[in-house]
Amino acid sequence: MHYDYLVVGSGLYGSVFAHEAKARGKSVLVVDKRPNVAGNIYTENIEGIPVHKYGAHIFHTNNTKVWEYITQFAQFNRFTNSPVANYKGELYSLPFNMYTFNRMWGVATPQEAADRIEQQRREAGITEPKNLEEQAISLVGRDIFEKLVKGYTEKQWGRDCRELPAFIIKRLPVRFTFDNNYFNALYQGIPVGGYTRLVENLLDGIEVRLNTDYLERRQELDALADRVIYTGPIDQFYGYRLGALEYRSVRFETEVLDIPNFQGNAAVNYTDRETPWTRIIEHKWFVFGRDESGNEFPKTVISREYSSEWKPGDEPYYPVNDEKNSALYAKYRQLAQAEEKVIFGGRLGEYKYYDMDAVIAAALELCDTEF
């Protein structure tokens, strides 16, 4: 059979495009090298609990169009992301808010907190932040930087905070209120039944071939379709001919515990440098500790996350968007733009850190130009 589109990768980007192509009467084949669909948002059922196998994914967006689109394929619960920071046994509220400032300094009003941050910013002599450390101190002061930002960030990126660009931490929410909601988003939640079910609904009626490595069978697969939507690593597509782009990767240690409650929260970040993992996820709290029938899970599943430098064979997670890698990606992008048959998209295809709502929006935008 010949197809209008070959979609390489069954993550959100590829699955949304495949669904829309089929809805417009196009023939579509989806291939994925993994034994399952859903890419890095894959959720696996363990002890009845939807476990986020490749790290926690909390859907959040201010884009009403995207929210109305994705909720066609799954009901979302009302989960609110309110992580906890653990610094050597001291527990702090995240995102940084009045609970955090009270725990750190004993202040009780927004003005007292703002004054303390401004004092520490002045003491540091920062006017125009030149790196992540200076940006963080200007946002939250040196005390919070030292306890809650420095160790966690250096574990996550494997670099000193003074070597990291300031923009990485500009996304960090800082509030002079008692609001523990990490995401300042109009819509937020987790798909009931997990993300895998959501993606399966997107791909309903579409031919999917799993355990199929596109790059190993490229000539054969390319011949099956008029157009290719490629969501894998752009440098790997070109055989790393210009050099390898850098990523950070994450290793997970997941275990089932025969207790009902390990940490009382979905996410606890370990912000000291000495603890080897960056955070522990307790997956049952993404669904409030209950199954779809309302029954409490008697056991719990936790995952410790370890950040590491990416090497071939590892799963690439976060692009290292520094000056060197951005320049290299620009060269690969030039090659990609010359392709007549192949369109590159998604986190790996565009070497870009994407939130899930932005991935969906980008895929829908491509559909508008293709159809």
Side-chain angles (χ1 to χ4, degrees), residues 300-318:
T300 195
V301 180
I302 64 168
S303 296
R304 293 179 177 86
E305 298 186 7
Y306 300 80
S307 183
S308 61
E309 288 288 341
W310 176 86
K311 60 184 183 300
D314 292 343
E315 183 63 35
Y317 280 88
Y318 307 106

Side-chain angles (χ1 to χ4, degrees), residues 290-352:
R290 297 176 182 272
D291 64 22
E292 291 178 59
S293 300
N295 302 312
E296 293 187 15
F297 296 115
K299 297 183 180 182
T300 195
V301 180
I302 64 168
S303 296
R304 293 179 177 86
E305 298 186 7
Y306 300 80
S307 183
S308 61
E309 288 288 341
W310 176 86
K311 60 184 183 300
D314 292 343
E315 183 63 35
Y317 280 88
Y318 307 106
V320 181
N321 293 125
D322 58 15
E323 189 174 337
K324 178 184 73 171
N325 284 285
S326 296
L328 179 56
Y329 168 68
K331 294 178 181 177
Y332 277 118
R333 182 65 183 151
Q334 282 187 317
L335 294 178
Q337 287 172 337
E339 297 284 344
E340 294 183 2
K341 182 173 179 173
V342 183
I343 297 171
F344 295 78
R347 178 176 53 94
L348 302 178
E350 298 177 59
Y351 194 65
K352 181 178 182 180

Side-chain angles (χ1 to χ4, degrees), residues 160-208:
D160 189 284
C161 285
R162 286 166 290 193
E163 298 173 8
L164 291 165
F167 75 81
I168 289 178
I169 210 164
K170 285 184 177 178
R171 295 170 38 141
L172 191 69
V174 180
R175 302 195 183 109
F176 294 94
T177 65
F178 291 89
D179 180 4
N180 279 343
N181 184 357
Y182 192 88
F183 299 118
N184 186 22
L186 183 60
Y187 308 104
Q188 182 173 320
I190 305 281
V192 174
Y195 285 98
T196 303
R197 184 186 299 177
L198 181 154
V199 171
E200 287 171 346
N201 289 339
L202 277 165
L203 295 173
D204 185 40
I206 296 171
E207 183 180 352
V208 179

Side-chain angles (χ1 to χ4, degrees), residues 155-159 247-249 307-309 316-318 320:
K155 285 189 292 188
Q156 187 176 33
W157 291 99
R159 290 160 175 78
Y247 295 87
R248 293 295 292 172
S249 192
S307 183
S308 61
E309 288 288 341
Y317 280 88
Y318 307 106
V320 181

Side-chain angles (χ1 to χ4, degrees), residues 198-248:
L198 181 154
V199 171
E200 287 171 346
N201 289 339
L202 277 165
L203 295 173
D204 185 40
I206 296 171
E207 183 180 352
V208 179
R209 299 183 190 176
L210 301 174
N211 299 301
T212 302
D213 191 321
Y214 167 76
L215 293 177
E216 287 183 358
R217 301 170 56 184
R218 182 169 162 186
Q219 187 173 0
E220 167 198 347
L221 291 169
D222 279 353
L224 296 178
D226 296 329
R227 301 274 273 168
V228 176
I229 308 299
Y230 177 81
T231 68
I234 188 171
D235 54 345
Q236 190 178 16
F237 180 91
Y238 288 105
Y240 306 107
R241 71 170 77 160
L242 304 176
L245 292 164
E246 293 179 300
Y247 295 87
R248 293 295 292 172

Side-chain angles (χ1 to χ4, degrees), residues 85 90-118 120 136-149 172-180:
E90 298 175 14
L91 301 181
Y92 293 88
S93 179
L94 294 176
F96 302 135
N97 60 49
M98 286 303 301
Y99 291 113
T100 320
F101 305 142
N102 176 265
R103 177 82 169 90
M104 184 68 68
W105 298 314
V107 298
T109 70
Q111 190 59 56
E112 287 176 305
D115 289 346
R116 185 64 67 96
I117 291 171
E118 176 60 20
Q120 295 192 355
I137 292 171
S138 69
L139 284 172
V140 293
R142 182 168 291 281
D143 292 339
I144 288 177
F145 167 73
E146 293 289 348
K147 283 192 173 185
L148 305 184
V149 176
L172 191 69
V174 180
R175 302 195 183 109
F176 294 94
T177 65
F178 291 89
D179 180 4
N180 279 343

